[in-house]
């Protein structure tokens, strides 16, 4: 996922990848949904340039023998 949606290399304060990793770790450890605060997470536009976006992720576990989490985003 982070290969497709990396942090904006032009923003030295970009922490979207780290924040999302922390949330996914919490979901895996607690097996409970984890809602994140609204955060800036820039994405590439069709020209390849990063565009400023804000998201509110909600990560949910899928409880099987293998722990998987589903992420949904509201922009």
């Amino acid at each position: 996922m982070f290969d497709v949606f990396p942090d904006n290399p032009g923003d030295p304060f970009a922490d979207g990848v780290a924040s999302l990793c922390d949330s996914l770790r919490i979901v895996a450890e607690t097996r409970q949904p984890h809602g994140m605060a609204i955060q800036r997470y820039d994405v590439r536009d069709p020209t390849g340039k990063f565009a400023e976006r804000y998201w509110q992720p909600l990560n949910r576990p899928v409880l099987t023998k293998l722990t998987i989490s589903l992420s949904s985003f509201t922009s």
Side-chain angles (χ1 to χ4, degrees), residues 7 9 13 15 23 26-27 31-32 34-36 38 42-43 47-51 55 58-59 61 64 71-74:
D7 278 333
F13 301 106
D15 65 353
S23 177
I26 290 167
V27 170
R31 300 179 144 222
Q32 297 294 318
H34 183 256
M36 299 174 64
I38 295 172
D42 299 347
V43 294
T47 68
K49 293 181 182 177
F50 280 86
W55 309 85
L58 174 61
N59 299 300
T64 64
S71 297
S72 61
F73 300 89
T74 303

Side-chain angles (χ1 to χ4, degrees), residues 4-47:
V4 177
F5 298 107
D7 278 333
N8 180 346
D11 180 359
F13 301 106
D15 65 353
V17 169
S19 296
L20 188 52
C21 282
D22 287 343
S23 177
L24 294 173
R25 180 187 47 75
I26 290 167
V27 170
E29 289 175 358
T30 66
R31 300 179 144 222
Q32 297 294 318
H34 183 256
M36 299 174 64
I38 295 172
Q39 65 173 345
R40 180 176 171 175
Y41 200 120
D42 299 347
V43 294
R44 288 187 183 106
D45 66 17
T47 68

